[in-house]
């Protein structure tokens, strides 16, 4: 008999839209993909070469399950350099992508009777993993009127004696919103009253900020003993397909996180870990160049979308997504997604894929060329006028 929890697993519609877009393209349709959230850049050449060299040098075997010691040290050095914070390499776990950190956190801190606070709209795997663990997901809204930032008081007001974990993601997928430091300060202050509640800060977009400084929850020493940080290489270094990320764990959880990794994947492939060392220690101008492109495209896409009757779009402040309000069009979010892909060749994602607060919105990724973005939005303009 199937384990009943299997029926509670959700999915990430970006992958089904990607598959359908691929089918349509294979049948000869001209498809512009603003669906999946991955940089359209290739991994920078010096990183690719480090991976190739590692393979040629014989890095073919298992590595320690927590990751190569040199890589864990490099991550620790990177955090020291970027945030002036000391994190022991012993608390850093190298995993295949950022995703395993969230899944591990839910497996360790979820379960029947627990409540986990999660942003809504948000990365769909948060809710899926919470539900799978048997815990109850308690959404807190990230609303447009608030610049898609979280409201510390609202989040704090949802904590009960069953709350085991709070998820935070800034800059955020799918909205491109960032939470200002003043609001984060308020939240951390409020958390003093709840010393048993852990926090998972998903910082995968921390180097993709269009104005102001990146903010890591590692800079709040008062919560360090109950903070889990998720980060990785996928978005920063255009390395989504290499599958590598890291978690920083409180000392009381690190051994459990390792045990889960040993049960599930053993380790990240060795060559990828060598490439990841080069990514962090090598020339960072590739990161800056990608950031400049994403910033320009984010402005481009929101300006173009605001030109369409019935659509409005806040300029994203980070990550590489625009989250457009389509409430004044003839479409629900899902109908918009389907019509845009099937009839106008534009892959975008319904806001409802990210939670109930996403109704009335669609997510468009800025990870495509200026020309493709311009053409895609012009097709959407046509779609709205054809269906007015
Ligand atoms: N966290 C957020 C908010 C994301 O948007 C993503 C990927 O889209 C991830 C984590 C997972 O990243 P990875 O591909 O490294 O598993």
């Amino acid at each position: 008999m199937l384990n009943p929890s299997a029926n509670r697993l959700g999915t990430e519609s970006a992958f089904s839209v990607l598959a359908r877009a691929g089918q349509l393209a294979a049948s000869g349709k001209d498809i512009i993909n603003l669906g999946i959230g991955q940089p359209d850049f290739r991994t920078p050449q010096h990183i690719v070469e480090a991976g190739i060299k590692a393979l040629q040098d014989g890095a073919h075997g298992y590595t320690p399950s927590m990751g190569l010691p040199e890589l864990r040290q490099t991550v620790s050095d990177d955090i020291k350099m970027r945030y002036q914070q000391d994190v022991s390499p012993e608390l850093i776990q190298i995993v295949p992508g950022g995703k395993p950190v969230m899944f591990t956190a839910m497996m360790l801190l979820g379960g029947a009777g627990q409540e986990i606070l999660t942003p809504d709209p948000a990365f769909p795997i948060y809710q899926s993993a919470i539900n799978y663990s048997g815990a109850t997901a308690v959404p807190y809204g990230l609303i447009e009127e608030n610049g898609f930032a979280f409201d510390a008081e609202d989040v704090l007001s949802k904590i009960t004696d069953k709350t085991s974990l709070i998820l935070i993601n800034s800059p955020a997928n799918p909205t491109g919103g960032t939470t200002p430091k003043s609001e984060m300060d308020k939240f951390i202050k409020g958390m003093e009253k709840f010393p048993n509640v852990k926090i998972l800060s998903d910082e995968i977009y921390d180097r993709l900020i269009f104005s102001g400084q990146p903010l890591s929850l590692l800079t709040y020493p008062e919560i360090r003993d109950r903070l889990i940080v998720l980060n990785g290489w996928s978005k920063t270094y255009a390395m989504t397909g290499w599958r590598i990320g890291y978690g920083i764990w409180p000392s009381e959880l690190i051994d459990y996180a390792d045990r889960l990794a040993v049960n599930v994947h053993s380790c990240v492939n060795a060559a990828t870990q060598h490439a990841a060392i080069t990514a962090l220690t090598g020339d960072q101008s590739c990161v800056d160049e990608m950031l400049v492109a994403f910033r320009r495209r984010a402005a481009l896409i929101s300006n173009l979308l605001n030109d369409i009757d019935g659509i409005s779009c806040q300029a994203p402040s980070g990550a590489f997504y625009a989250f457009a309000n389509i409430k004044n069009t003839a479409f629900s979010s899902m109908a918009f997604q389907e019509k845009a892909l099937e009839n106008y060749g534009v892959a975008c994602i319904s806001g409802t894929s990210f939670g109930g607060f996403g109704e009335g919105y669609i997510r468009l990724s800025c990870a495509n060329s200026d020309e493709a973005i311009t053409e895609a939005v012009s097709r959407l303009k046509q779609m709205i006028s054809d269906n007015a």
Side-chain angles (χ1 to χ4, degrees):
M1 200 183 87
L2 184 71
N3 180 341
S5 58
N7 286 315
R8 297 199 297 267
L9 274 173
T11 187
E12 206 185 331
S13 349
F15 280 97
S16 20
V17 171
L18 181 68
R20 178 68 186 141
Q23 272 174 356
L24 290 169
S27 74
K29 295 244 168 64
D30 174 21
I31 304 293
I32 303 176
N33 200 334
L34 303 186
I36 194 88
Q38 69 176 331
D40 54 318
F41 299 102
R42 296 175 68 141
T43 305
Q45 191 58 25
H46 64 287
I47 302 175
V48 174
E49 277 161 16
I52 294 170
K53 181 169 184 312
L55 283 174
Q56 281 168 343
D57 290 351
H60 302 168
Y62 293 125
T63 73
S65 57
M66 292 290 284
L68 292 171
E70 187 188 350
L71 177 55
R72 296 167 75 198
Q73 181 64 55
T74 303
V75 170
S76 170
D77 296 345
D78 180 63
I79 291 163
K80 179 78 178 171
M81 184 183 65
R82 295 195 299 117
Y83 291 117
Q84 295 75 53
Q85 298 300 314
D86 291 308
V87 175
S88 161
E90 299 290 307
L91 299 177
I92 297 170
Q93 180 190 33
I94 306 299
V95 278
K99 253 181 189 174
V101 180
M102 61 187 81
F103 197 76
T104 303
M106 280 14 140
M107 291 305 105
L108 298 183
L109 299 169
Q114 312 272 37
E115 292 178 354
I116 298 181
L117 268 58
T118 173
D120 181 350
F123 191 54
I125 300 306
Y126 297 166
Q127 285 246 9
S128 167
I130 294 169
N131 294 339
Y132 182 70
S133 81
T136 303
V138 178
Y140 64 84
L142 298 180
I143 56 169
E144 188 178 1
E145 294 71 22
N146 203 20
F148 296 116
F150 80 61
D151 175 333
E153 266 174 43
D154 177 47
V155 179
L156 292 164
S157 74
K158 294 193 158 47
I159 300 176
T160 70
D161 54 6
K162 296 194 184 121
T163 309
S164 61
L165 178 66
I166 301 178
L167 311 185
I168 286 175
N169 173 221
S170 174
N173 177 8
T175 62
T178 53
T179 294
K181 181 165 184 324
S182 54
E183 206 58 29
M184 211 61 100
D185 289 349
K186 237 197 261 175
F187 169 68
I188 300 296
K189 180 95 195 87
M191 285 302 288
E192 275 173 16
K193 282 205 227 123
F194 308 102
N196 297 323
V197 178
K198 303 224 169 12
I199 301 164
L200 166 57
S201 181
D202 181 343
E203 302 182 357
I204 197 103
Y205 296 103
D206 73 336
R207 293 184 71 182
L208 294 174
I209 285 201
F210 301 144
S211 63
Q213 290 305 311
L215 175 65
S216 170
L217 292 207
L218 288 167
T219 56
Y220 294 92
E222 56 273 52
I223 54 154
R224 181 68 78 77
D225 62 349
R226 52 192 169 122
L227 174 68
I228 304 160
V229 172
L230 176 163
N231 209 327
W233 288 257
S234 297
K235 318 286 174 173
T236 310
Y237 295 99
M239 289 178 72
T240 51
W242 295 70
R243 306 312 300 137
I244 184 159
Y246 64 85
I248 300 172
W249 294 91
S251 48
E252 67 175 286
L253 291 180
I254 186 85
D255 290 342
Y256 294 104
D258 185 30
R259 202 172 296 183
L260 199 52
V262 171
N263 273 268
V264 178
H265 62 258
S266 298
C267 65
V268 174
N269 86 69
T272 290
Q273 294 192 53
H274 285 281
I277 294 172
T278 296
L280 292 182
T281 54
D283 182 6
Q284 300 298 298
S285 56
C286 52
V287 178
D288 300 334
E289 281 160 22
M290 287 190 267
L291 177 62
V292 166
F294 289 135
R295 183 189 286 125
R296 186 187 64 246
R297 294 159 175 186
L300 174 71
I301 200 166
S302 48
N303 287 339
L304 291 171
L305 285 163
N306 280 319
D307 230 23
I308 303 179
D309 272 349
I311 297 189
S312 61
C313 183
Q314 287 195 6
S317 48
F320 40 61
Y321 308 104
F323 205 57
N325 182 325
I326 57 150
K327 290 178 184 167
N328 292 327
T329 70
F331 298 100
S332 69
S333 296
M334 192 47 92
F336 192 111
Q337 172 189 303
E338 282 167 10
K339 190 84 176 169
L341 180 57
E342 300 295 330
N343 298 83
Y344 294 85
V346 178
C348 54
I349 311 287
S350 162
T352 50
S353 303
F354 307 97
F357 282 79
E359 181 55 82
Y361 295 88
I362 51 157
R363 187 191 79 173
L364 299 129
S365 160
C366 315
N368 212 324
S369 66
D370 294 23
E371 297 71 35
I373 287 172
T374 308
E375 170 60 19
V377 180
S378 131
R379 290 186 195 180
L380 296 181
K381 189 169 190 168
Q382 188 62 47
M383 171 176 130
I384 298 301
S385 97
D386 292 347
N387 295 275

